[in-house]
Amino acid sequence: QDLLVESGGGSVQPGGSLRLSCVVPQYFFLYRDYYMGWFHQAPGREREAVAALLSRGATQYDDSVKGRFTISKDNAKNRLYLQMNNLSVEDTGEYYCAANPGVKDTRAALSADAYRYWSQGTQVTVSA
């Protein structure tokens, strides 16, 4: 179910930066427990986790993006962000934000199967 609306994709050269933004329904942030995440789907591959943010502020990252990508949120603006720096060609693909409100167990925060709400996706292309 697509309740999330994201923006910010585009084309960039290797080494460049992009920031993805995702509007999340306000009531999601009212839950005591939730987690939200960003996922990447490269051409011909399955959707894979990039980063997750837990309701109490902890973050999780895939090893491939540690030190380059930062997940954050702004409760007042109902937004989830993904700052992507030092992009490489391997980062090319469709990016999705996702949310799972009202779930206390965060062990699956980097698993696509755990999420109930998704965005429509935005394309990121990194090429010279």
Side-chain angles (χ1 to χ4, degrees), residues 24-26 28-31 34 36 53 55 72-81:
V24 179
Q26 184 180 25
F28 281 21
F29 292 98
L30 300 180
Y31 282 90
Y34 60 81
M36 301 179 184
L53 186 147
S55 54
S72 63
K73 64 183 176 75
D74 186 330
N75 289 28
K77 296 182 178 179
N78 307 331
R79 288 182 181 269
L80 180 72
Y81 299 102

Side-chain angles (χ1 to χ4, degrees), residues 17-120:
S17 298
L18 284 173
R19 188 176 79 156
L20 304 182
S21 177
C22 179
V23 178
V24 179
Q26 184 180 25
Y27 72 91
F28 281 21
F29 292 98
L30 300 180
Y31 282 90
R32 176 180 178 179
D33 299 301
Y34 60 81
Y35 50 86
M36 301 179 184
W38 289 95
F39 290 79
H40 170 224
Q41 187 165 17
R45 300 190 63 176
E46 294 186 354
R47 197 173 299 185
E48 298 177 338
V50 171
L53 186 147
L54 313 182
S55 54
R56 289 167 176 75
T59 57
Q60 301 175 2
Y61 293 94
D62 183 79
D63 287 344
S64 65
V65 305
K66 284 181 180 177
R68 300 190 300 124
F69 291 10
T70 302
I71 187 172
S72 63
K73 64 183 176 75
D74 186 330
N75 289 28
K77 296 182 178 179
N78 307 331
R79 288 182 181 269
L80 180 72
Y81 299 102
L82 183 68
Q83 177 66 43
M84 304 186 293
N85 297 328
N86 194 20
L87 285 160
S88 68
V89 173
E90 289 73 27
D91 297 317
T92 292
E94 197 81 2
Y95 282 77
Y96 302 85
C97 60
N100 211 15
V103 178
K104 187 174 183 178
D105 187 350
T106 61
R107 288 177 293 177
L110 289 178
S111 172
D113 292 341
Y115 285 82
R116 291 175 289 165
Y117 302 99
W118 290 88
S119 67
Q120 78 284 4

